[in-house]
Amino acid sequence: GGDSPPSGAGSLLEEAKEKMKQNTRNFAKRQITWFKKDPRIEWIDAESRTAEEIANEIENKVRSHRP
């Protein structure tokens, strides 16, 4: 019937998905590289920390940078 995709369409879709994932990873790497060059960026280590701990650190950093 006409309900099934054309032969080979599934592999094309999978290939497109993988290409999109790789392009997204490459874009994220470029963003990280760009941000690391900006001295105004302060990185926060979020490993093994609660959202509340991270929020408190951000709040403290914002308060300490106010005039």
Side-chain angles (χ1 to χ4, degrees):
D3 293 343
S4 60
S7 177
S11 63
L12 286 175
L13 181 58
E14 289 305 313
E15 188 178 322
K17 287 180 184 178
E18 290 306 313
K19 186 167 183 135
M20 187 172 9
K21 289 178 187 178
Q22 185 61 53
N23 288 343
T24 300
R25 287 190 293 268
N26 290 346
F27 183 65
K29 287 179 186 178
R30 287 194 305 273
Q31 285 181 315
I32 291 171
T33 299
W34 187 82
F35 280 120
K36 283 185 175 182
K37 292 178 181 177
D38 189 333
R40 299 170 299 171
I41 303 298
E42 293 188 38
W43 294 92
I44 295 174
D45 182 14
E47 281 293 313
S48 309
R49 296 171 69 191
T50 67
E52 185 176 358
E53 290 170 330
I54 295 166
N56 287 337
E57 181 176 344
I58 293 169
E59 184 177 15
N60 291 336
K61 286 181 181 288
V62 169
R63 286 183 177 173
S64 69
H65 285 87
R66 286 187 180 159

